[in-house]
Amino acid sequence: MGSRASTLLRDEEIEEIKKETGFSHSQITRLYSRFTSLDKGENGTLSREDFQRIPELAINPLGDRIINAFFPEGEDQVNFRGFMRTLAHFRPIEDNEKSKDQNGPEPLNSRSNKLHFAFRLYDLDKDDKISRDELLQVLRMMVGVNISDEQLGSIADRTIQEADQDGDSAISFAEFVKVLEKVDVEQKMSIRFLH
Amino acid sequence: MEDVWSLLLRAGAVWVVLVFTLIVLPSALGVSLGISEAYLWVLVKTLEWATIRIEKGVKKPQPQIKTSATNGIIERDETPMEKEIVHLHQVDFEFSDIFYFCRKGFEAIVEDEVTQRFSSEELVSWNLLTRTNVNFHYISLRLTIVWVIGVIVRYCFLLPLRITLAAIGITSMIVGTTIVGQLPNSSVKNYLSEVVHLTCSRILVRALSGTIHYHNKENKPQKGGICVANHTSPIDAIILTNDGCYAMVGQVHGGLMGIIQRATVRACPHVWFERSEIKDRHLVTKRLREHVADKNKLPILIFPEGTCINNTSVMMFKKGSFEIGGTIYPVAIKYDPQFGDAFWNSSKYNIVSYLLRIMTSWAIVCNVWYLPPMVRQEGEDAVQFANRVRSAIARQGGLTELPWDGGLKRAKVKDTFKEEQQKNFSKMLVRNGSVGSLSAGTESD
């Protein structure tokens, strides 16, 4: 029974995660049970292989990029805390959060953080810019062998051109935000978590 | 010292005599004394009472215990990609196109259709077994007392009884089939083999306190046919054999299962093969063809999922058994999880510890539905036929149909699935592009 270990999650930890991610108590315990059932090594952390074992994720064209988003630079294990922090980007923005004061730290599921998450999926070398080459690589992951280099190249050129404002042929985060300004990011980058 | 020994010996003798007269003999003769029915009645009443107690208890500060049927974490978005990726401008690609894949990926991480089918089903209400309630905390004194009584009954009375029965059942199965196996092939041998199989499976069903409801017996598999069923556990085979003999087709096992398999194959034309050996698979197909051609042979029993699933869903049916032709007799098996988890998680437990878990549960209660026979229709290929049969089984058993291969329990998903996703997305790019490049051109230039 995968959820056996849910008793190992201390109340203080739950409180901390609650504060950091905004998930509710019962969401945290249920996600912990999911975490432990994915953790085949039973060592309290997930490896890339643990993620790849989920068939629906393995067939996702961007599966590897998504998995990568869970792992901080140079690490190949993620603990429950980190797992939750990444998941929190996909928590919907609730009504009471919209009106929240500006003093506290920005919640992980804010529009800007959701956009930043998406930006990093394109930004392969983490230089805070999406170059033509990076966009091309991500496009290639999504289309496989079905579209020619030439066609894909022109798609990349056009997409960069349209969003590039300072003429450096690369997309900065500010330019990325600008080009997606009319997109309902809040909805498209959210999962309906049950309470 | 000697007194103690003779006392123990006598107690043992009385035990064996009781077991024989009250259980083994009736089961060999195929009659029931109504003991298991009475036991089940008491059980149902107790569990109903417990559910009410738990619900009462939950109202107090016990938020961890889930009583609702919604054990899910998320509500999935089922919008197809074509609807999801709509562009504000008529262009082939937008940065926001990855949102769709992102969300799908995260949904799968949080909750996926496949991997949860390879672990035990979650219960709606607690059935007084500690193993099924992780968050079991103290609820009430009365409930705890009942649970303690349950533990004593299950471990001190039922377990020894069931072990005795299982030992008798398995030994007589091995010995019986080995002896029958010595006889030359004849109708007498077939008859005796059926008697041994039926008797032993009746004893074994009692060893599991099995209560089985067979529905629509008029559709029972006939000789020369192929019976296909959904697969939860090796005891599926015993449960079906309890109502009629089959020639079985299945994976070769080691250990205790292996011993039973090797013994029974001497008396009855079962086919045991190694899943990963292509040579073996060809042999199976050949054997199946011969078998179907002969209307005097026992119906063949196949579990086309090829692996045990946790009794909430039916996964892909391997097409092999549907290529042969002949009549397919679909059977749906649904266990009642309230009395015990019948699912064999073979990557976690070996057969003996699995059986011990079953024998320390309350009982095995299941429904078996014989569905009307099906034949391949004209113009239908084996895969379509397999899917049609699977749908029928899923509908009857109240199981979810999943297109995934049960083999994913052991192996990684094939690349072709990913390629299909890529192809779909590419189609969209091209389609958008043919319109998009035109209008974008006129606007910007």
Side-chain angles (χ1 to χ4, degrees):
Chain A
M1 217 125 292
S3 35
R4 174 173 20 90
S6 64
T7 45
L8 299 176
L9 196 61
R10 285 177 293 115
D11 279 344
E12 306 91 81
E13 282 177 87
I14 295 182
E15 276 310 311
E16 281 169 25
I17 293 171
K18 213 160 133 182
K19 231 182 256 162
E20 190 178 15
T21 63
F23 281 114
S24 74
H25 192 287
S26 74
Q27 284 169 340
I28 295 172
T29 49
R30 265 177 283 173
L31 286 166
Y32 189 65
S33 142
R34 173 66 172 168
F35 180 86
T36 47
S37 75
L38 291 177
D39 176 18
K40 292 286 183 235
E42 294 184 356
N43 53 6
T45 60
L46 299 184
S47 65
R48 285 188 167 75
E49 288 71 42
D50 286 327
F51 283 98
Q52 277 150 359
R53 230 173 267 122
I54 306 170
E56 282 167 69
L57 185 61
I59 67 161
N60 191 313
L62 290 179
D64 285 336
R65 291 301 298 151
I66 292 168
I67 293 169
N68 218 39
F70 281 87
F71 297 91
E73 184 78 72
E75 282 180 41
D76 50 10
Q77 296 288 326
V78 58
N79 62 15
F80 183 57
R81 197 77 185 264
F83 178 73
M84 291 299 280
R85 217 177 293 131
T86 310
L87 283 187
H89 289 89
F90 282 79
R91 210 166 58 77
I93 303 174
E94 285 162 35
D95 291 337
N96 58 359
E97 284 173 309
K98 283 176 189 156
S99 53
K100 234 179 191 172
D101 59 311
Q102 313 292 311
N103 303 335
E106 201 177 326
L108 289 167
N109 63 340
S110 69
R111 178 185 171 94
S112 156
N113 272 328
K114 284 178 192 293
L115 278 169
H116 208 205
F117 184 87
F119 182 79
R120 282 187 303 242
L121 290 187
Y122 286 109
D123 182 17
L124 301 171
D125 65 1
K126 298 181 179 155
D127 67 345
D128 291 322
K129 273 192 184 318
I130 305 171
S131 66
R132 179 184 185 271
D133 188 48
E134 282 169 330
L135 178 58
L136 214 49
Q137 284 187 50
V138 174
L139 277 170
R140 184 52 77 199
M141 290 177 206
M142 293 204 269
V143 302
V145 294
N146 299 291
I147 289 183
S148 70
D149 282 340
E150 201 181 325
Q151 254 178 310
L152 215 56
S154 77
I155 290 174
D157 284 335
R158 206 242 337 116
T159 311
I160 297 268
Q161 223 171 61
E162 223 155 79
D164 184 21
Q165 292 173 324
D166 57 9
D168 66 347
S169 297
I171 306 304
S172 67
F173 184 57
E175 289 164 341
F176 189 74
V177 171
K178 184 83 180 77
V179 79
L180 292 172
E181 133 191 278
K182 294 210 181 77
V183 178
D184 188 0
V185 179
E186 289 85 346
Q187 188 258 325
K188 287 184 182 246
M189 289 286 279
S190 292
I191 299 174
R192 273 171 279 173
F193 285 95
L194 300 173
H195 289 280
Chain B
M1 244 344 243
E2 269 174 31
D3 281 354
V4 179
W5 278 116
S6 67
L7 207 69
L8 272 178
L9 218 61
R10 206 174 292 174
V14 171
W15 175 254
V16 170
V17 169
L18 274 178
V19 166
F20 254 97
T21 49
L22 288 177
I23 303 169
V24 176
L25 218 59
S27 57
L29 298 170
V31 291
S32 166
L33 299 177
I35 300 171
S36 62
E37 283 79 3
Y39 166 65
L40 209 68
W41 184 82
V42 173
L43 208 56
V44 169
K45 290 290 164 206
T46 315
L47 290 179
E48 276 173 9
W49 173 83
T51 309
I52 296 167
R53 297 300 305 178
I54 293 169
E55 275 165 7
K56 273 191 192 162
V58 171
K59 292 199 182 107
K60 289 166 212 157
Q62 283 291 339
Q64 286 98 328
I65 292 169
K66 290 171 265 168
T67 41
S68 72
T70 52
N71 278 329
I73 307 178
I74 54 167
E75 187 189 330
R76 277 174 172 259
D77 195 314
E78 304 292 353
T79 328
M81 182 172 72
E82 288 74 17
K83 276 207 181 140
E84 185 64 26
I85 305 184
V86 257
H87 293 158
L88 296 169
H89 306 288
Q90 291 281 329
V91 290
D92 37 27
F93 173 80
E94 281 182 3
F95 280 111
S96 58
D97 289 1
I98 63 162
F99 293 174
Y100 170 80
F101 293 111
C102 268
R103 205 181 50 210
K104 283 285 155 221
F106 271 81
E107 281 181 347
I109 291 169
V110 172
E111 192 171 66
D112 77 296
E113 281 287 355
V114 189
T115 56
Q116 59 175 343
R117 311 292 177 177
F118 301 142
S119 56
S120 292
E121 179 181 1
E122 283 197 48
L123 289 173
V124 177
S125 182
W126 187 41
N127 62 358
L128 297 173
L129 301 176
T130 325
R131 61 186 90 142
T132 52
N133 194 349
V134 250
N135 297 315
F136 173 61
H137 299 291
Y138 178 79
I139 297 169
S140 78
L141 180 65
R142 275 197 274 176
L143 206 60
T144 311
I145 292 173
V146 171
W147 173 76
V148 170
I149 295 172
V151 171
I152 295 169
V153 169
R154 285 187 288 122
Y155 283 86
C156 302
F157 175 68
L158 290 178
L159 182 63
L161 174 66
R162 287 168 177 172
I163 290 179
T164 318
L165 281 175
I168 295 172
I170 291 173
T171 339
S172 45
M173 178 83 103
I174 294 171
V175 174
T177 47
T178 310
I179 294 171
V180 174
Q182 305 303 316
L183 299 171
N185 282 336
S186 64
S187 56
V188 180
K189 177 183 176 177
N190 292 344
Y191 172 75
L192 286 176
S193 155
E194 274 189 48
V195 169
V196 171
H197 275 87
L198 279 177
T199 311
C200 296
S201 67
R202 283 199 201 114
I203 297 172
L204 288 174
V205 164
R206 278 175 169 74
L208 307 167
S209 301
T211 304
I212 312 159
H213 307 286
Y214 298 96
H215 307 271
N216 309 334
K217 283 204 178 199
E218 69 276 10
N219 295 328
K220 241 175 92 169
Q222 300 299 315
K223 289 198 167 167
I226 298 175
C227 169
V228 299
N230 59 309
H231 199 15
T232 309
S233 143
I235 60 179
D236 291 341
I238 299 168
I239 282 179
L240 289 177
T241 305
N242 196 39
D243 193 41
C245 242
Y246 295 91
M248 289 176 224
V249 176
Q251 163 74 27
V252 178
H253 284 274
L256 180 64
M257 278 281 277
I259 298 171
I260 300 172
Q261 284 183 328
R262 281 194 296 275
T264 51
V265 80
R266 290 194 196 107
C268 193
H270 302 307
V271 182
W272 308 125
F273 69 105
E274 179 53 54
R275 182 162 34 209
S276 51
E277 289 271 337
I278 299 168
K279 193 180 72 200
D280 277 22
R281 289 212 294 260
H282 284 307
L283 192 74
V284 171
T285 324
K286 192 170 151 264
R287 285 287 295 276
L288 287 178
R289 275 183 215 285
E290 287 169 8
H291 205 98
V292 173
D294 187 345
K295 296 285 174 229
N296 295 320
K297 286 201 169 157
L298 287 173
I300 277 191
L301 174 60
I302 299 178
F303 299 108
E305 284 168 300
T307 192
C308 298
I309 316 288
N310 76 357
N311 212 231
T312 60
S313 64
V314 200
M315 292 211 180
M316 190 185 90
F317 275 8
K318 303 250 185 328
K319 63 174 195 284
S321 22
F322 299 89
E323 283 171 331
I324 299 148
T327 315
I328 298 273
Y329 294 87
V331 171
I333 307 175
K334 175 71 184 167
Y335 293 90
D336 189 338
Q338 196 188 356
F339 303 99
D341 182 17
F343 168 59
W344 182 30
N345 190 347
S346 55
S347 48
K348 209 163 166 186
Y349 305 103
N350 63 29
I351 186 73
V352 175
S353 50
Y354 164 74
L355 286 175
L356 283 177
R357 272 174 71 86
I358 291 274
M359 288 189 207
T360 53
S361 303
W362 293 115
I364 288 292
V365 176
C366 80
N367 282 296
V368 173
W369 288 274
Y370 295 113
L371 294 153
M374 293 168 92
V375 284
R376 198 157 131 191
Q377 285 166 352
E378 242 175 81
E380 195 177 38
D381 66 24
V383 175
Q384 288 165 331
F385 182 38
N387 286 338
R388 193 158 58 90
V389 173
R390 189 183 64 155
S391 301
I393 290 177
R395 225 176 302 128
Q396 182 63 74
L399 306 159
T400 318
E401 262 186 278
L402 293 176
W404 298 91
D405 183 351
L408 287 173
K409 199 197 250 180
R410 283 167 286 267
K412 278 203 173 161
V413 60
K414 283 198 198 103
D415 284 337
T416 48
F417 287 97
K418 189 182 201 160
E419 283 156 17
E420 195 156 325
Q421 302 268 322
Q422 292 170 328
K423 210 172 182 173
N424 287 340
F425 181 69
S426 307
K427 268 188 213 152
M428 273 190 41
L429 272 193
V430 172
R431 199 178 51 218
N432 288 343
S434 62
V435 188
S437 55
L438 267 175
S439 60
T442 46
E443 266 170 30
S444 53
D445 292 349

